[in-house]
C-alpha cells in the first residue's frame, strides 16, 4: 500500500511540475530570454564569419606572395643558366 501511495504521489508531483514548467517555458519573460539568447548566438556567428574571412584573406595574401617568390626564383635560375 505504501508503494502505491508513493507512486501516485510522484506521478501527481511530476504532472504538477511539468505543467508549471510548461507555463514557465511559454511565458513572455521566457520568450524574451529566448530572443536575447538567439540574438547573442547570431552576433557570435557573425563575428566568427568575420574572423574566418580575415583568415582567408591573410592566407590568400601569403599564397600570392609565395607564388611571386617562387616565380621570381625560377626567373633568376633561368637568367643564371642563360648567362653561363
Amino acid at each position: 500500500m505504501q508503494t502505491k501511495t508513493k507512486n501516485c504521489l510522484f506521478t501527481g508531483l511530476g504532472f504538477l511540475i511539468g505543467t508549471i514548467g510548461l507555463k514557465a517555458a511559454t511565458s513572455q519573460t521566457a520568450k524574451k530570454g529566448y530572443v536575447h539568447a538567439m540574438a547573442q548566438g547570431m552576433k557570435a556567428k557573425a563575428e566568427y564569419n568575420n574572423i574566418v574571412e580575415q583568415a582567408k584573406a591573410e592566407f590568400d595574401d601569403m599564397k600570392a606572395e609565395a607564388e611571386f617568390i617562387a616565380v621570381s626564383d625560377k626567373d633568376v635560375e633561368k637568367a643564371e643558366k642563360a648567362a653561363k
Side-chain angles (χ1 to χ4, degrees):
M1 191 75 166
Q2 231 177 3
T3 306
K4 227 178 196 185
T5 305
K6 283 183 182 180
N7 286 343
C8 288
L9 182 63
F10 285 136
T11 302
L13 187 61
F15 180 75
L16 180 64
I17 290 172
T19 303
I20 292 171
L22 183 61
K23 291 222 184 246
T26 58
S27 70
Q28 283 298 112
T29 306
K31 286 182 182 179
K32 286 181 184 178
Y34 304 148
V35 169
H36 285 289
M38 287 174 58
Q40 291 299 322
M42 289 176 179
K43 286 180 185 178
K45 181 182 175 189
E47 186 62 30
Y48 169 77
N49 286 336
N50 187 24
I51 291 170
V52 169
E53 288 299 320
Q54 288 177 354
K56 285 180 182 178
E58 287 290 325
F59 174 77
D60 289 341
D61 290 345
M62 289 188 295
K63 181 180 173 188
E65 190 174 340
E67 287 175 348
F68 177 76
I69 291 171
V71 169
S72 296
D73 289 345
K74 286 181 183 178
D75 290 342
V76 169
E77 288 174 6
K78 285 181 184 177
E80 287 175 353
K81 285 182 180 179
K84 289 182 182 182

